[in-house]
Amino acid sequence: MGLPHIFDDGTQTRPLKVLIVDDDPLAMFMTSSMAEMAIPGMAIQTAACAQDAFDLFAADRFDCVLIDYEMPGANGLELASRIHALDPAVPILLCTGAGNETLAADAIKQGVSDYLPKATLSADGLRRAIRDAIDKARQAHLIAAQRKDIEMFAFALAHDFKQPSRQLVTFAELARQEAPVADGSQLDQMLQFISAAAGRLNRLVDGMMEFMLLSAPPPLRPVEVDAIFAGICLALQDFLQERGGVLDLVGSARVMGHEALLGQVLQNIAINGLTYNESALPRVEIACAKVAAGIEIRVCDNGIGIDACDVDRIFEPLVRLNGREAHDGSGIGLTLARRAMAAMQGTIRCEPRPPPDRGTVFVLMLGDAAANSDLAA
Ligand SMILES: Nc1ncnc2c1ncn2[C@@H]1O[C@H](COP(=O)(O)OP(=O)(O)OP(=O)(O)O)[C@@H](O)[C@H]1O
Ligand SMILES: [Mg+2]
């Protein structure tokens, strides 16, 4: 028997398998008949309750699942999330008799591919919905696979760069010690340049590796900003003393995040605030406040400031606004910060401080741990 021709481009190489879940026998008969008409030859299995559907899916994977929203015991969205826990990529279509906008929005937010009102269901509509959902899932799978390949390649490259760049630093140092090089001579200067360049290369490679490692989202937990602040003060003790700078915390908050990552983000921003700063008393203030969308952390400095036209650009890799002679940064700190915030389902943006104040504000948004009290307990 020929394959059901859902994809005209010939990418479908085996019969499609669809699972239809509905507790109402008449509705089930209608949806199944329509599906048979929509895609002749498609393998259809049915389940009359959520548990049967889950067991069938656990035993035998499907290309697409059609779920009735209202079933006794569990609603369709709950079943969809249980199935997605087994296979996050499988496309799920939610059918319902009593559709409304909120339900559709909720369904899509929870990863359901589409929402089909039973009253207007047709063979053509079903065919289109199944084809689009499978097509989208395939493309997402392809993009994820390509991204993984690229990341693996970049990770391997960064890893292999490490050894030669460390050797450059070591051997340039050894050469300065071993060879009879007069301090300040041309050869001495050249060896120092090699050391400095190799040091920068090392930092870039480290940053690149950190960036790669951030592609896997960390587990999010309630995190106390006070505790993170105490850790940063300790880590920056010498730096603060050297610069004669001050680091302050105003208010406290419990956010959904990852302690090490958030610590790194805040520390990077604090170092920037104290480094790109020509005030007599460099100051960085971290202030937490509860807002409608979660917890807002504002990191404010009295430094040299950033022009409004640069506030987005500074998050791009390797962007540095000041000459190397002023500050020897790699231009990776904020790129890592943005990626770390995204991994914690948060955001970061930069704003110039409104006059008459000088300086910069970084605004971080994270989930409020108090709103996830079951996790916060
Ligand atoms: N608080 C700030 N005030 C003024 N300029 C800043 C501030 N923070 C960042 N910048 C500018 O943005 C650029 C990018 O910052 P980023 O932290 O990404 O890299 P970096 O500090 O140069 O190097 P590193 O990777 O070592 O952190 C900096 O080079 C600097 O020009
Ligand atoms: Mg920096």
Side-chain angles (χ1 to χ4, degrees), residues 268 271-272 276 329 331-334:
N268 271 346
I271 291 177
N272 281 349
Y276 304 108
I332 291 184
L334 290 175

Side-chain angles (χ1 to χ4, degrees), residues 272-273 276 301 304-306 314 319-322 329-334 360 362:
N272 281 349
Y276 304 108
D301 66 57
I304 58 173
I306 295 178
I314 50 167
V319 168
R320 302 168 56 257
L321 305 177
N322 313 100
S330 309
I332 291 184
L334 290 175
T360 310
F362 284 86

Side-chain angles (χ1 to χ4, degrees), residues 241-302:
Q241 220 160 25
E242 244 170 60
R243 309 226 17 115
V246 182
L247 193 56
D248 276 334
L249 176 68
V250 178
S252 69
R254 206 174 201 210
V255 297
M256 286 308 288
H258 182 275
E259 194 161 335
L261 276 190
L262 184 56
Q264 208 176 1
V265 170
L266 289 173
Q267 186 165 313
N268 271 346
I269 298 173
I271 291 177
N272 281 349
L274 297 164
T275 304
Y276 304 108
N277 197 317
E278 290 166 0
S279 297
L281 180 64
R283 176 184 288 276
V284 170
E285 182 187 278
I286 301 176
C288 307
K290 200 174 160 75
V291 294
I295 299 287
E296 188 180 80
I297 305 177
R298 297 175 78 84
V299 188
C300 216
D301 66 57
N302 60 349

Side-chain angles (χ1 to χ4, degrees), residues 97-169:
N100 64 46
E101 290 294 310
T102 325
L103 172 59
D106 272 359
I108 305 288
K109 240 192 255 163
Q110 290 190 32
V112 163
S113 306
D114 210 348
Y115 166 84
L116 308 170
K118 277 187 191 171
T120 54
L121 202 61
S122 68
D124 254 5
L126 199 53
R127 179 177 199 276
R128 226 184 353 260
I130 294 177
R131 186 187 54 199
D132 289 353
I134 294 178
D135 209 15
K136 244 191 262 166
R138 281 183 180 176
Q139 280 176 21
H141 178 76
L142 201 70
I143 290 169
Q146 283 172 348
R147 192 188 151 140
K148 211 167 160 190
D149 272 357
I150 293 170
E151 286 193 345
M152 264 176 63
F153 179 67
F155 192 82
L157 211 60
H159 182 266
D160 286 1
F161 261 128
K162 254 178 154 25
Q163 201 196 2
S165 65
R166 296 239 149 91
Q167 281 173 343
L168 276 176
V169 179

